[in-house]
Amino acid sequence: MATKVTMEALSPTMEEGRLVKWTKNEGDPVKSGDVLAEVETDKAVMELVARGDGVLRKRLANEGDASPIGTLLAVIAGPDENIDALIGGAAATATASAPAAATAKPAQENAVPQSSDQSQSEAPAPAQPKAATGATAAPGGPGAPAAPRSAAPSAPPPRPAAPPPPKGNGSRPGATAAPGGRQRSSPLARRLASDKGIQLGGIQGSGPGGRIVKRDIENAKATGGSARSAAADRLAAEGDFKDVPLTMIRKTIARRLAESNGPVPTFFLTAEFDATRGAELRAQLLEMGEQYKVSFNDIVIKAVALALAEHPEVNAHWLNDKIRHFNRIHVAMAVAVEDGLITPVLFDADRMTLWEISAKARELANKARERKLMPEEYTGSTFSVSNLGMFGIDQFTAIINPPEAGILAIGGVEEKPVVIDGALEVRQRMRVTMSCDHRVIDGATGAKFLQTLKRYFENPLSLII
């Protein structure tokens, strides 16, 4: 029996996937569980496995194609089994998905195409037919009897037919006008003129009857064209821009940011922490051996986890009709990857030692950059941390990852003069900014959480005892 190979939901948030590489060719024998292809999800590159035995009879997607969940990608069947119905059904579905694309044509062949950057809202609305003079709207809405119309004025007498247009276009001898008064030109010439920003009205046609043909457009480009602007010349030049197709992770980032930055009522709390003791602790631990090496980010994650344990109202999700407070603490850390960022999760971070956090964070970061994270490694967080301090950023605001209620943005550690007990000292300082979902976290709640976080961070011995 034939087995359909469809685009599967390989991650909890996946809506479509991009086929990166086929690992089986048509005609190859296949067993259930064999890897058929590599698929880029919204977070990582995953393996698509066979769900049946047989022969890979037909591949219906090309490498690089993006397909929604459930799309038929291939068919596994016996060597002599008839699969025409399956393949034909897939083709019919693909054809029906975009009927407008096959029939949409411009009303006039020489109409100037709308710029791809122009939004649909900027396009002129089609003219509405005017109601007959004296007509009144039917009162009472749909179903109510229409009011009687007043007599329409008699139609004007027909105008005499216009004389046939003279041969030639008057201003340019030999150029024959097409019906409607526009200049005659070949479809290829119109397309080339549109691509190069050349107005047909300024070109002398050399084709039959003065028709503008391809060579006329090419000659107009060589001479600059009478109506061509310098801006159009710059746009037509090679290498002015490069369109980069969206990856699955970039599409997801864009969608998630729109879900957060608009609907979520966010406010920000900024505080400055003293990192001097943390720097001293890091140096002392490193003297004990490479296995004890920790980063400021590791210290922050451990401090955040312990602070969340004292403030469960911050360790929460907004679920529209309720707020869920979690008894376990799972801290996500933002990791920059080639196409954007991903947030692997440190589960039960409050129960991990500082060295366990350090080792696990490095492991997850490496897997994230290699696109090898499994879905269970980047889902299920209850709070997030984002650190740009290593890039020399002093302070920034991070965008909340719904349904989480908060995220902490960590800036760089730098030396600053501060007053300690009335005396001026140079100390290591670090600024943090907490983004809060006001539906879950009030200002005082967020401030108390940062006070607790500061206490743990500025006394790092409390993190290892």
Side-chain angles (χ1 to χ4, degrees):
M1 181 178 179
T3 302
K4 295 180 179 180
V5 179
T6 61
M7 181 63 72
E8 300 179 6
L10 300 175
S11 77
T13 56
M14 178 177 167
E15 295 182 354
E16 64 176 341
R18 185 177 68 87
L19 201 154
V20 177
K21 181 176 69 173
W22 283 106
T23 57
K24 294 283 188 180
N25 296 316
E26 291 183 1
D28 288 353
V30 174
K31 293 183 178 180
S32 181
D34 285 355
V35 177
L36 297 176
E38 294 179 359
V39 173
E40 181 190 13
T41 73
D42 55 339
K43 300 291 185 181
V45 175
M46 309 286 289
E47 293 178 341
L48 183 68
V49 301
R51 305 297 181 187
D53 300 335
V55 174
L56 185 61
R57 292 283 302 280
K58 187 67 176 178
R59 301 192 314 199
L60 301 172
N62 298 319
E63 293 181 354
D65 288 352
S67 304
I69 300 299
T71 301
L72 184 63
L73 303 179
V75 176
I76 299 172
D80 301 321
E81 189 172 351
N82 191 325
I83 60 172
D84 291 345
L86 290 176
I87 298 175
T93 301
T95 302
S97 63
T103 58
K105 293 183 179 180
Q108 294 184 359
E109 291 184 346
N110 68 333
V112 178
Q114 186 178 1
S115 168
S116 60
D117 295 333
Q118 185 177 1
S119 66
Q120 293 181 356
S121 61
E122 295 173 347
Q128 300 296 327
K130 295 183 179 180
T133 305
T136 58
R149 296 175 179 266
S150 60
S154 58
R159 295 182 180 180
K167 294 183 179 181
N169 65 355
S171 60
R172 286 180 299 276
T176 304
R182 59 185 174 85
Q183 193 169 358
R184 295 183 61 188
S185 55
S186 70
L188 177 58
R190 289 194 295 273
R191 182 173 63 81
L192 290 175
S194 175
D195 293 343
K196 302 177 187 304
I198 298 175
Q199 298 293 332
L200 296 177
I203 298 176
Q204 171 67 49
S206 62
R211 190 184 193 195
I212 299 174
V213 293
K214 176 184 176 182
R215 62 175 174 268
D216 299 322
I217 304 299
E218 293 174 342
N219 291 337
K221 179 184 178 183
T223 58
S226 59
R228 188 185 180 97
S229 64
D233 285 332
R234 289 194 300 271
L235 289 175
E238 293 184 3
D240 282 359
F241 62 86
K242 179 177 71 173
D243 293 334
V244 180
L246 292 177
T247 60
M248 294 299 105
I249 188 172
R250 179 53 61 182
K251 288 182 180 180
T252 302
I253 290 172
R255 176 174 55 81
R256 297 289 287 164
L257 291 181
E259 291 174 356
S260 175
N261 212 28
V264 177
T266 307
F267 70 93
F268 307 97
L269 299 173
T270 300
E272 188 169 280
F273 295 170
D274 194 311
T276 304
R277 291 179 179 175
E280 294 171 352
L281 176 66
R282 291 183 63 221
Q284 293 169 358
L285 291 175
L286 190 57
E287 290 177 358
M288 296 171 57
E290 187 70 21
Q291 67 271 27
Y292 296 103
K293 180 181 179 180
V294 297
S295 67
F296 274 112
N297 200 57
D298 302 328
I299 295 174
V300 170
I301 290 174
K302 178 65 175 179
V304 164
L306 295 179
L308 288 172
E310 295 188 27
H311 298 274
E313 64 276 12
V314 177
N315 191 48
H317 282 182
W318 171 264
L319 300 178
N320 293 319
D321 61 341
K322 58 182 172 288
I323 297 173
R324 176 170 295 169
H325 293 169
F326 290 91
N327 297 323
R328 297 172 64 186
I329 297 166
H330 309 319
V331 179
M333 59 175 192
V335 176
V337 295
E338 183 178 356
D339 298 324
L341 61 86
I342 192 170
T343 52
V345 183
L346 294 159
F347 293 94
D348 297 309
D350 58 319
R351 303 177 187 177
M352 300 172 70
T353 67
L354 193 56
W355 298 279
E356 289 173 338
I357 288 176
S358 178
K360 190 64 176 179
R362 284 197 297 270
E363 175 192 343
L364 291 173
N366 290 333
K367 292 181 70 174
R369 296 185 184 102
E370 295 171 0
R371 305 298 298 275
K372 293 182 178 180
L373 284 175
M374 301 300 292
E376 59 269 20
E377 293 176 311
Y378 58 77
T379 56
S381 59
T382 58
F383 191 87
S384 295
V385 171
S386 180
N387 190 344
L388 291 179
M390 68 285 295
F391 298 104
I393 301 301
D394 178 57
Q395 177 185 340
F396 70 104
T397 58
I399 297 177
I400 297 172
N401 185 24
E404 294 174 22
I407 183 171
L408 189 73
I410 307 167
V413 176
E414 60 180 347
E415 291 185 341
K416 290 184 179 180
V418 293
V419 176
I420 305 293
D421 297 329
L424 188 65
E425 296 184 19
V426 175
R427 307 281 292 184
Q428 303 264 25
R429 307 289 286 183
M430 182 183 76
R431 296 176 73 84
V432 301
T433 300
M434 181 179 174
S435 305
C436 306
D437 183 342
H438 213 328
R439 298 171 299 183
V440 180
I441 303 173
D442 294 325
T445 303
K448 291 176 182 177
F449 170 78
L450 287 181
Q451 286 179 338
T452 303
L453 176 61
K454 180 178 182 180
R455 184 180 76 245
Y456 278 117
F457 183 80
E458 293 186 350
N459 297 277
L461 281 178
S462 63
L463 307 179
I464 61 175
I465 59 175

